[in-house]
Amino acid sequence: MTVDMSVKVGNLELRNPVMTASGTFASGREFAEFVDLSHLGAIVTKGVSLNAWSGNASPRIAETSSGMLNSIGLQNPGVEAFIERDLAYLADVDVPVVVNVSGHSLAEYVALVERLDDHPQVNAFEINISCPNVDAGGMAFGTSCVPAAQITEACRAATMKPLIVKLSPNVTDIVEIALAVEAAGADAVSLINTLLGMAIDADTFKPKLARVVGGLSGPAIKPVALRMVWQVSNAVSVPVIGMGGIMTAEDAVEFMLAGASAVSVGTANFVDPTATMRVADGLSEFCRARGIARVSELTGALNTD
Amino acid sequence: MTVDMSVKVGNLELRNPVMTASGTFASGREFAEFVDLSHLGAIVTKGVSLNAWSGNASPRIAETSSGMLNSIGLQNPGVEAFIERDLAYLADVDVPVVVNVSGHSLAEYVALVERLDDHPQVNAFEINISCPNVDAGGMAFGTSCVPAAQITEACRAATMKPLIVKLSPNVTDIVEIALAVEAAGADAVSLINTLLGMAIDADTFKPKLARVVGGLSGPAIKPVALRMVWQVSNAVSVPVIGMGGIMTAEDAVEFMLAGASAVSVGTANFVDPTATMRVADGLSEFCRARGIARVSELTGALNTD
Amino acid sequence: MSCAHDTAEPRRVLEGVSVLSNERVTEGVGLLVLRAPHVASTVRPGQFVHLRIARGRDFVLRRPFSVHRVRGESIEILYQVLGTGTREMSLLEPGAVCDLVGPLGAGWIVPEGLAHALIVTGGLGAAPLGMLAEQLAASGAAVTVAMGAPTAERLVARGLYEDVARVVDVATDDGSAGVHGFVTALSERLLGEHQFDVVYCCGPEAMQRIVAAQAAVAGVACQVSLERLMACGIGACLSCVVSTHSGLKRACVDGPVFNAEEVLWDSSEIPPKH
Amino acid sequence: MSCAHDTAEPRRVLEGVSVLSNERVTEGVGLLVLRAPHVASTVRPGQFVHLRIARGRDFVLRRPFSVHRVRGESIEILYQVLGTGTREMSLLEPGAVCDLVGPLGAGWIVPEGLAHALIVTGGLGAAPLGMLAEQLAASGAAVTVAMGAPTAERLVARGLYEDVARVVDVATDDGSAGVHGFVTALSERLLGEHQFDVVYCCGPEAMQRIVAAQAAVAGVACQVSLERLMACGIGACLSCVVSTHSGLKRACVDGPVFNAEEVLWDSSEIPPKH
Ligand SMILES: Cc1cc2nc3c(=O)[nH]c(=O)nc-3n(C[C@H](O)[C@H](O)[C@H](O)COP(=O)(O)OP(=O)(O)OC[C@H]3O[C@@H](n4cnc5c(N)ncnc54)[C@H](O)[C@@H]3O)c2cc1C
Ligand SMILES: Cc1cc2nc3c(=O)[nH]c(=O)nc-3n(C[C@H](O)[C@H](O)[C@H](O)COP(=O)(O)OP(=O)(O)OC[C@H]3O[C@@H](n4cnc5c(N)ncnc54)[C@H](O)[C@@H]3O)c2cc1C
Ligand SMILES: Cc1cc2nc3c(=O)[nH]c(=O)nc-3n(C[C@H](O)[C@H](O)[C@H](O)COP(=O)(O)O)c2cc1C
Ligand SMILES: Cc1cc2nc3c(=O)[nH]c(=O)nc-3n(C[C@H](O)[C@H](O)[C@H](O)COP(=O)(O)O)c2cc1C
Ligand code: FES
Ligand code: FES
C-alpha cells in the first residue's frame, strides 16, 4: 500500500506534512549533506528582517531538562543578503520555501513582505509575531489581539501568497489571538513558538544566557504545544501547522491528531540532522502499518470520547 | 560552620526554606515513614474545598518528557473531613501548616477561610486561583487581575493569618497578576502552578487524560518557573515562594537566586519520597561549602552583569 | 471474609537495590531478580514495589510491579515490555543499581480456615499471584489454578503453579495449549464443579470483571487486583482511584487487591495496549 | 598565511559509533576511544565531532569534542569531566553504542613550507593539538611545545608531545612539574628565543588571548581554537558565534580554529568552571 503523504496548507501544496521550524534549519544548505531537501514538505527559513540584525550577546543557548533555551535574537544579514545567498541557493532545490519574516515595526514587516513578494523562490510567508528574543516588536506583537491583527492585515495587503502567522504560547488565551489573525486574513497559523524561560548556574550565581531570558523548545514543551494546537484547531477554520518538541514520527502523529495539517521539526534537527526525514519516513510507515490511505486523515482524528 | 537555614515568609517563620507543593504531599501523613515532617519548612496541604469534590475521571496522569500531566481535579473530602482527619493528624506534628484552599466561587473561598481561620493548626492560607483542572473557578480566577484581586481581598478580610496567593503560569503577564494580588492584600505569592498541557496516545488516537487537558509539572517546566519567579520578585515587594520542577538542592538554589524566599517541592515527591529532606539537606550543605552564613542571602542574589 | 487487613502493614522504605539477573521468559516478557533485603523480608503476597528504572529526568515517574516471588534476600518481578519504561527495564544488566519504594499496597487476604482456593490468571496476571499460590500450598490449602494467555509460550509462571497447585487448567486464545478460548470458560466450569472458599483473580480488567460476576453467581468471595496509573504509589497523589461502593479508593494503598463486590467496574481501567 | 582552507571539507555524516575503551587518564580526565571509520579516515587536525552521549530526551544537545588522535578506524577523545554530559560520558563502557556528527569545523591550517611550529597548550587544550603535532612531525617540520596545567598529573598527553616534538617545556600552577607558573611565561620566552613560522594555541580563552598578543608582538602568525556552546554544530543555529574583524563567525563551521588576529576577544567565551 502506498500512502498519500501530500497535504494542503491553504493554497500551499506539500509533498508531505513535515516542514522545518524556523531558525533551526537555516535555509537548508547546512542540512543538505544529511537529508534530501527535496523530500521535505517545505523549508521554513530562519527569520529574516529588512536590515541586518546582530542578535544577542553570548552565551545564547542553555540545555534544560528535555529542552533548550535560546536567545539567538534573530541574527540575520538582512533581506538583501538573504535573497542573494539563501534564495539563490534554494532556486536549485525542488522544495516549497516559506520565508519567516520579522520586524521591529509594522512598517518593517510590510516592507519586507513587499520586497520578497515577487521573488519566485518564495512560496509563502510565515509572519513571526512571537519571537521572545528581541526587545522591540517580536513577541509583543503576538501577545495581544490588536497588534497581531494589524500586522496580519498589513502583510495580507502586501501579498497574495499564502500567509502563515506564527503564534506565541506566552499568552493567556491563544485561541483569541488565532481568531484575530484569522479574521485579519491569515491563511494558516503555526504554533507554537518558544515559551519564555530562564536558566541559572547555581555555581556562578549567573544566568546561563547573556540575555537572562530566552525561548524554551524541545520535548519539554510538547504537552503545552499539543494543548494549544488542539484548542486553536477546534476554534479556527484555517489550517494549523503544529510544532514544539517533535522528535519522532509518533510525536508528529500526535500533533496531527490534535488538529495540525502539517508539522514542523525544530530542536530535533540539532540532536539529529536527519530528524526531518526520520519523521517523514516514520509518518508514512505509521499510516501504512495501520492502513491509513492518506496522511491527512490524521488531522483532527483525536478520539475524545 | 552552621548555616542559619531559617527564612521568613511574611509573618511565617520557617525552619528552612523547603516547603511541600500542594497536592503532592497530601497532608504529610503518607510521607511520615520517609521524612521527619518536623524538619520541613512547612507543609502545604493538598487543596481543600468547602464541600467534597470527587475530582475528574481517570486516567488522571500521564508521563511526558521530564514532566507529568495531572488532572486530579482537586478531589478532596471537603473541609469538615479535612479538619477531622488531616488537621487532627497535624496537631501532633511540629511543623507550620499552610492550607491550600479552593472554591468554585468567591463566596466559597471566603466561607472556607472563615471556617478554618480560628483553627490552631492552620498557620497560613494558600489561595489557589490557578488550578487548571476544575471547570468552574480554578484557573479562571487566576488569569485576570480583577477576579484575582477580588478573591484576595475577600480572603484578606476573612483572616489575619498570612495569606499566600498561588499564581497561574498560563497568562500573558504574570507580573500584572502578582501586583494585583499584592495590592489586594496578599502577604506572599507562590508560583508556579502547573502549565496547561495535553498528551495523546498515537496508538489509540485518544488523549492520555480522561479530561483531555491537565497540568504539566516537573523538571520540564523549571525554565518557565524560574523566569516567572525572577520577573515577579523584581516587581513585588512581598516574598515569593518558588516552585516548578525542583528535584535537587541546586534547583532550589536557582529559585532562591531568582528571587524566591522559600521553595516548594512537588512532583519530586513522587519520584523520591525523601526529596524534601534531600533538598533541604543539600541546600544547607551548599551554603556551608560556600561559606554562606544564612540561606536567606541566596534570595535574589542572581548576578546579572 | 474479613475486609480489614489482619496484620500491621510492613514499613515502606526507599530501598537501593541491585540487579541479580534479568532474563527473557518469552517474547516480550522478562524476569527481573533484584537484591532487595528489606522488601524480600517484609513483602506479603499481592503487594508491589514502585521501581525507578533509570536515573536522569527522562522518567519522571516510577513504575509499579508486583512481587512475583521471594527467594532469600531477592525479589522477582515478572514483567511485560509495553512502553518506554519496561523497554528500558529489559536492558538492565546484572550489577545495575536502581531503587524502589516498597513494599506497597494491600495484598491478598487469606481468610481464616481457607481450605480450597481458585486462582484465575490472565496473561501477566499470573505475576502477582505466584507468591500467594506458594504460601497457600505451604499452609496446606488446596489450590486450583485456571490460567489463560494468548499462546502456550505466554502462559508465564505455569511451572510455578504446576509445582504447588492440585490442578492447573489452561486456556489459550490460539489453542496452542489447553482449551481453545478464554480462561473465563475454565473459571466458570471450575466454579460449577468444586466448592471454593475464595477466588483470587488477576488479569485484564474485563476478564476480572467476568470472573467476579461468576464468583458472585456461585456465591464465592472473590478478590481482584486492579491496575491504575500511579504517580506516588503511597497514597498522596490520588492518581490511582478506583470507584467502589464506599467511594473512591486509592489502588496503591487501599488496593491493588480489592474485594470484587466492592468494585464499581467503570471506565477508569487502563486500556489494554494493542 | 592563507586564511582559506586549502582542500575541500570532508563530508559530514551522522555516524553510529561504538566504544572501544574508556580509561581514566588522571583525576577528572578520561580518554574515550571510539570506532568511527568515517571520521577516522577523513578528519583533519583541529576538527571535532558532535557526540550524542546518551539516548533518551534528557540530553537534548550533543557535546562537541576535538579529535585528539586517530588510529586506524578509531578516534580518540581526551575529555574533562565538567558537567552532566561528561559525567555520563565517563560511565560509558566498552561495547556501548552512540552516535556522532562529524568531522566538523575548520581545523588547523598548515602554511606551505612550514619549518618550525610552536604549540602552546593549557590544560585540556592539549587535546585538539595532538593530531596536528603528530602530522607536523611526520611531515618533517620542527615542533616545539609549551604545555601548562594546574599540576604535573594534569599535563595530559605530555607523552604524545614528547614523542614527536623537539622540545617540550612545561609549566604547572603548583610547580609540581617544570616551571612554577603559567604556560604564557614559557611561550613568551620561546617566542623570544626562536624563529617560528606559526603558533598553534589552545587552552582557556584568557590564555589564548595572551599568547595571541605575544605572537603578534613577535610578528608570528597565530591560530587559536575557540570553545563556544554549540547546539547544531553544523552552522545552522547561530549559537556559537565569535566576534571577528569580519563580523560574527560561527565557531562550528568558520572555526573552531581562527586566525588569532581576526578575533575580537570579547566576553562571549565560556566562563571556566570553578
Ligand atoms: C499495582 C500494580 C502492579 C503491577 N504489576 C505488574 C507486574 O507484575 N508485571 C507487569 O508486567 N506489569 C505490572 N503492572 C503494570 C506495569 O506497571 C506497567 O506495565 C508499566 O508501568 C508500564 O510502563 P512502561 O513505561 O513500559 O509503559 P508506558 O506506557 O511508557 O508508561 C507510561 C506511564 O503509564 C503507566 N502505565 C502504563 N501501563 C500501565 C499499567 N498497565 N499499569 C499501571 N501503569 C501503567 C506507567 O507506569 C507510566 O507512568 C502493574 C501495575 C500496577 C498498578
Ligand atoms: C569545538 C570544541 C571542541 C572541544 N573539544 C574538547 C575536548 O577535546 N575535550 C574536552 O574535554 N572538552 C572539549 N570541549 C568542551 C566540551 O564540549 C565541554 O566540556 C562539554 O560539552 C561539557 O559538557 P557537560 O555536559 O559535561 O557540561 P554541562 O555544563 O552540563 O553542559 C551543558 C551545556 O553546555 C555546553 N558546554 C559546557 N561547557 C562547554 C565548553 N567548555 N565548551 C563547549 N560547550 C560547553 C555543553 O555542550 C552543553 O550543551 C570542546 C568544545 C568545543 C566547542
Ligand atoms: C535556535 C532557535 C532559533 C529559532 N529561531 C526562530 C526564528 O527565527 N523564527 C521563528 O519564528 N521561530 C524561531 N524559533 C522557534 C522554532 O521555530 C519553533 O517554533 C520552536 O523551537 C518550537 O519547536 P521545537 O520544540 O521543535 O524546537 C527558533 C527556535 C530555536 C531553538
Ligand atoms: C498531582 C498534583 C496535584 C496537585 N494539586 C494541587 C492542589 O491541590 N493545589 C495547588 O495549588 N496546586 C496543586 N498542584 C500544583 C503543585 O503544587 C505545583 O504548583 C506544581 O506541580 C509545580 O511544581 P512541581 O513541578 O515541583 O510539581 C498539583 C500538582 C500535581 C502534580
Ligand atoms: S499512586 Fe498516588 S495515591 Fe495512589
Ligand atoms: S553550533 Fe549551530 S551554528 Fe554553530
Side-chain angles (χ1 to χ4, degrees), chain A residues 65-66 143 170-172 196-198 200 202-203 205-207 212 219 223 226-227 230 254 257 286 290 298 302-303, chain B residues 65-66 170-172 196-198 200 202-203 205-207 212 219 223 226-227 230 254 257 286 290 298 302-303:
Chain A
S65 292
S66 295
T143 52
N170 300 294
V171 295
T172 309
L196 194 62
M198 176 174 174
I200 292 174
D203 267 337
F205 283 31
K206 287 190 177 173
V212 184
L226 278 174
R227 182 262 296 181
W230 184 67
E254 292 164 27
L257 294 175
F286 180 95
R290 282 162 186 78
L298 294 174
L302 186 72
N303 176 354
Chain B
S65 292
S66 296
N170 300 292
V171 295
T172 309
L196 193 63
M198 174 175 176
I200 292 173
D203 267 338
F205 284 31
K206 286 193 178 170
V212 184
L226 278 174
R227 183 262 295 182
W230 185 68
E254 292 165 27
L257 294 175
F286 181 94
R290 283 163 185 75
L298 293 175
L302 187 71
N303 175 354

Side-chain angles (χ1 to χ4, degrees), chain C residues 53-211:
Chain C
I53 292 165
R55 298 254 140 225
R57 294 172 176 195
D58 241 23
F59 295 105
V60 162
L61 299 179
R62 291 174 177 273
R63 301 291 191 264
F65 292 96
S66 303
V67 174
H68 176 50
R69 291 205 319 183
V70 172
R71 287 294 178 268
E73 296 199 318
S74 68
I75 61 170
E76 298 180 8
I77 292 173
L78 196 57
Y79 65 95
Q80 180 155 27
V81 178
L82 275 181
T84 50
T86 45
R87 203 168 313 123
E88 196 71 27
M89 198 164 160
S90 69
L91 302 175
L92 285 175
E93 306 221 337
V97 292
C98 49
D99 61 45
L100 52 75
V101 179
L104 299 179
W108 307 105
I109 295 167
V110 180
E112 205 63 56
L114 181 151
H116 193 180
L118 173 62
I119 287 180
V120 189
T121 74
L124 263 283
L129 285 157
M131 204 180 151
L132 175 74
E134 289 185 342
Q135 292 196 2
L136 288 178
S139 79
V143 178
T144 295
V145 178
M147 301 186 77
T151 64
E153 294 83 60
R154 311 202 72 179
L155 284 164
V156 293
R158 185 175 179 179
L160 179 154
Y161 291 105
E162 284 175 341
D163 283 352
V164 301
R166 196 162 292 192
V167 181
V168 178
D169 277 359
V170 303
T172 51
D173 298 356
D174 68 351
S176 54
V179 171
H180 192 299
F182 296 134
V183 68
T184 46
L186 301 182
S187 53
E188 175 134 47
R189 181 173 50 72
L190 289 165
L191 281 162
E193 290 172 4
H194 304 272
Q195 184 58 44
F196 297 103
D197 300 308
V198 58
V199 179
Y200 297 108
C201 175
C202 187
E205 197 147 321
M207 166 268 200
Q208 299 200 56
R209 187 175 182 164
I210 295 172
V211 173

Side-chain angles (χ1 to χ4, degrees), chain A residues 30-31 33-34 54 58-61 63 66-68 72 75 203 219 247-248 251 267 270-274, chain D residues 11-14 52 57 59-63 229-232 234 236-239 241 248 250 268 274:
Chain A
E30 284 75 6
F31 286 85
E33 276 168 273
F34 301 97
S54 58
S58 293
R60 293 174 164 189
I61 57 167
E63 194 179 46
S66 295
M68 65 174 282
I72 308 296
Q75 177 189 328
D203 267 337
M247 308 292 275
T248 66
D251 294 332
T267 301
F270 304 155
V271 196
D272 175 4
T274 69
Chain D
R11 192 175 143 75
R12 308 179 293 186
V13 302
L14 174 65
R52 184 165 193 191
R57 293 174 176 191
F59 294 104
V60 162
L61 299 178
R62 292 175 177 271
R63 300 292 191 263
L229 299 182
M230 293 182 175
C232 72
I234 59 173
C237 71
L238 306 181
S239 60
V241 289
L248 290 173
R250 296 161 299 178
S268 63
H274 312 288

Side-chain angles (χ1 to χ4, degrees), chain A residues 252-285:
Chain A
V253 169
E254 292 164 27
F255 275 87
M256 294 189 72
L257 294 175
S261 298
V263 297
S264 288
V265 174
T267 301
N269 293 304
F270 304 155
V271 196
D272 175 4
T274 69
T276 44
M277 279 301 95
R278 211 176 15 81
V279 171
D281 292 347
L283 203 50
S284 146
E285 177 51 30

